[in-house]
């Protein structure tokens, strides 16, 4: 029972970053700057019209879900939330697409949605009748994360253009990496990757991406070190043997940000991670990385609120007059 589609509504959606031009990203960053400068208590975020956003999180989330909620709240909007499948009628056999259609039937003004591998939702979402923001879909895309990452780099280093960004870890299963490849290249950054051989796709990486065999060489090359979690939950979907989940006990020494690598990382470089972090895997168990002056992990989270506020506002641009 697909909803009818209005082309102008679909164009407002953010299903992946392909739909944003470099100008769109620059405008978004300027608006996020205005939100960031605002005293939140003045209600500066408040929109002239009240709206209700439908949140559908079919996979767990802390940062994305709560920062979208915070952004919506600062804008003066209400949120209608389905937080997981076990507390919804999906647990009684209802399909994801029927669930989406039922929530749309309650007439929210827009949807924010997170889901795993789901060809049915990949087909449905571009056709639905209200704007949709992708809050992370399978291994495909996490556009708002990539936008807040690029915004964090711009705020910390003054520009993204020409910066060398190293993404380390499970590239093959990471939607964050996919969206970052696109946004960072659009903004003129150089992107490199490094990780266990089975996590670096042999085909399908954009040709401009530099693949490093040696993490030490990569760390001394980069202006931004971005760690990624091993996406164990996606390994079975991708056909990796289950025991591969157990074979990363030496990961930290091989691909983590060890004290020796902290030393060779440039003094003005940034340390980033989209979260959640597994301490003892990507980062050490001690506080050395989290307290390092180059660490921007919590700044990424704060920036997530203003970037998401700017994205939500953009959905309704021209509709509030
Ligand atoms: N970075 C990110 O998507 O974190 P959450 O899964 O907590 O939303």
């Amino acid at each position: 029972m697909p909803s009818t589609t209005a082309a102008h509504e679909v164009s407002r959606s953010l299903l992946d970053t392909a739909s944003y031009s470099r100008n769109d990203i620059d405008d978004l960053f300027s608006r996020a700057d205005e939100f960031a400068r605002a005293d939140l208590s003045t209600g500066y975020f408040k929109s002239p019209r009240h709206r209700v956003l439908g949140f559908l999180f079919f996979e767990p989330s802390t940062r994305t879900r709560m920062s979208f909620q915070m952004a919506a709240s600062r804008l003066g909007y209400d949120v209608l939330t389905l937080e997981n499948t076990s507390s919804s009628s999906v647990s009684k056999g209802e399909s994801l697409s029927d669930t989406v259609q039922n929530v749309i039937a309650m007439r929210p003004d827009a949807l924010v949605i997170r889901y795993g591998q789901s060809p049915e939702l990949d087909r449905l979402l571009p056709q639905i009748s209200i704007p949709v923001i992708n809050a992370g879909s399978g291994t495909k895309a996490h556009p708002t994360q990539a936008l807040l990452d690029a915004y964090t780099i711009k705020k910390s280093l003054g520009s993204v253009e020409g910066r060398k960004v190293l993404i380390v870890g499970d590239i093959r299963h990471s939607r964050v990496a996919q969206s970052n490849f696109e946004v960072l290249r659009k903004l003129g950054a150089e992107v490199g990757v490094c990780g266990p051989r089975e996590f670096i796709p042999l085909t399908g990486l954009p040709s401009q991406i530099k693949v490093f065999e040696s993490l030490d060489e990569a760390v001394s090359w980069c202006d931004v070190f971005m760690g990624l979690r091993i996406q164990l939950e996606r390994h079975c979907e991708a056909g990796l043997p289950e025991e591969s989940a157990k074979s990363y006990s030496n990961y930290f020494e091989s691909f983590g940000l060890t004290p020796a690598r902290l030393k060779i990382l440039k003094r003005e470089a940034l340390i980033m991670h989209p979260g959640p972090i597994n301490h003892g895997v990507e980062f050490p168990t001690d506080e050395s990385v989290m307290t390092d002056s180059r660490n921007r992990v919590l700044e990424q989270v704060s920036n997530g609120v203003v970037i998401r506020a700017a994205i939500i506002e953009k959905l309704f641009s021209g509709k509030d007059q």
Side-chain angles (χ1 to χ4, degrees):
M1 48 174 184
S3 297
T4 51
T5 303
H8 68 282
E9 293 289 12
V10 170
S11 70
R12 290 176 189 276
S13 294
L14 177 62
L15 296 178
D16 56 47
T17 45
S19 59
Y20 271 27
S21 68
R22 187 168 175 157
N23 280 345
D24 286 333
I25 297 173
D26 287 342
D27 289 348
L28 194 79
F29 286 3
S30 301
R31 190 65 179 130
D33 279 342
E34 285 170 12
F35 284 141
R37 277 195 295 271
D39 174 357
L40 303 185
S41 66
T42 64
Y44 182 90
F45 277 46
K46 280 212 189 297
S47 161
R49 274 191 55 185
H50 180 256
R51 301 195 184 272
V52 181
L53 306 178
F55 280 24
L56 291 162
F57 278 73
F58 295 121
E59 282 193 335
S61 170
T62 298
R63 281 147 290 270
T64 311
R65 181 170 54 82
M66 294 189 71
S67 63
F68 264 118
Q69 277 173 331
M70 182 62 90
S73 173
R74 296 292 190 202
L75 286 163
Y77 295 166
D78 282 328
V79 169
L80 181 76
T81 303
L82 185 155
E83 278 180 21
N84 54 58
T85 51
S86 61
S87 67
S88 74
S89 290
V90 174
S91 66
K92 295 184 261 181
E94 186 163 35
S95 71
L96 299 187
S97 52
D98 279 355
T99 304
V100 170
Q101 299 281 9
N102 276 270
V103 173
I104 292 172
M106 296 172 206
R107 302 197 184 285
D109 294 286
L111 281 190
V112 176
I113 184 164
R114 165 170 290 195
Y115 58 101
Q117 303 295 74
S118 172
E120 64 169 308
L121 288 188
D122 291 341
R123 274 193 302 276
L124 175 71
L125 294 179
Q127 302 177 41
I128 65 178
S129 57
I130 57 172
V132 183
I133 301 176
N134 180 353
S137 54
T139 56
K140 288 201 168 84
H142 196 346
T144 64
Q145 179 69 44
L147 289 163
L148 78 87
D149 290 342
Y151 181 68
T152 302
I153 295 169
K154 184 173 180 226
K155 279 191 82 168
S156 292
L157 299 179
S159 64
V160 178
E161 178 120 35
R163 300 297 179 184
K164 296 182 172 75
V165 181
L166 174 67
I167 308 180
V168 179
D170 190 357
I171 307 298
R172 183 172 162 199
H173 305 103
S174 171
R175 54 197 179 203
V176 174
Q178 296 306 321
S179 289
N180 260 300
F181 291 157
E182 188 161 342
V183 169
L184 290 170
R185 285 190 307 128
K186 233 173 228 182
L187 297 178
E190 282 183 63
V191 181
V193 295
C194 188
R197 202 171 291 270
E198 66 273 28
F199 290 166
I200 305 296
L202 295 174
T203 56
L205 269 186
S207 57
Q208 303 91 333
I209 306 282
K210 207 170 154 64
V211 179
F212 287 91
E213 293 287 329
S214 155
L215 181 56
D216 290 351
E217 185 198 335
V219 168
S220 53
W221 168 83
C222 71
D223 301 309
V224 177
F225 176 100
M226 188 184 292
L228 292 180
R229 179 178 68 88
I230 301 172
Q231 313 275 307
L232 293 176
E233 73 275 27
R234 314 231 180 267
H235 289 187
C236 286
E237 284 173 347
L240 280 185
E242 206 175 319
E243 57 272 23
S244 73
K246 299 176 195 139
S247 61
Y248 296 108
S249 51
N250 294 324
Y251 184 92
F252 177 66
E253 285 70 30
S254 307
F255 295 102
L257 199 44
T258 58
R261 294 192 183 112
L262 266 186
K263 280 200 184 109
I264 56 175
L265 186 65
K266 291 175 190 166
R267 216 152 44 103
E268 66 283 8
L270 307 180
I271 298 168
M272 296 174 55
H273 194 304
I277 295 165
N278 287 300
H279 295 279
V281 184
E282 309 92 84
F283 289 176
T285 46
D286 67 27
E287 288 296 296
S288 55
V289 167
M290 296 313 287
T291 56
D292 191 290
S293 60
R294 296 166 289 188
N295 187 313
R296 294 293 182 279
V297 170
L298 291 180
E299 225 172 283
Q300 288 173 266
V301 178
S302 301
N303 290 338
V305 175
V306 291
I307 280 290
R308 288 176 173 126
I311 290 167
I312 293 169
E313 185 187 64
K314 186 172 157 63
L315 296 183
F316 303 121
S317 58
K319 298 193 107 197
D320 282 330
Q321 282 70 39

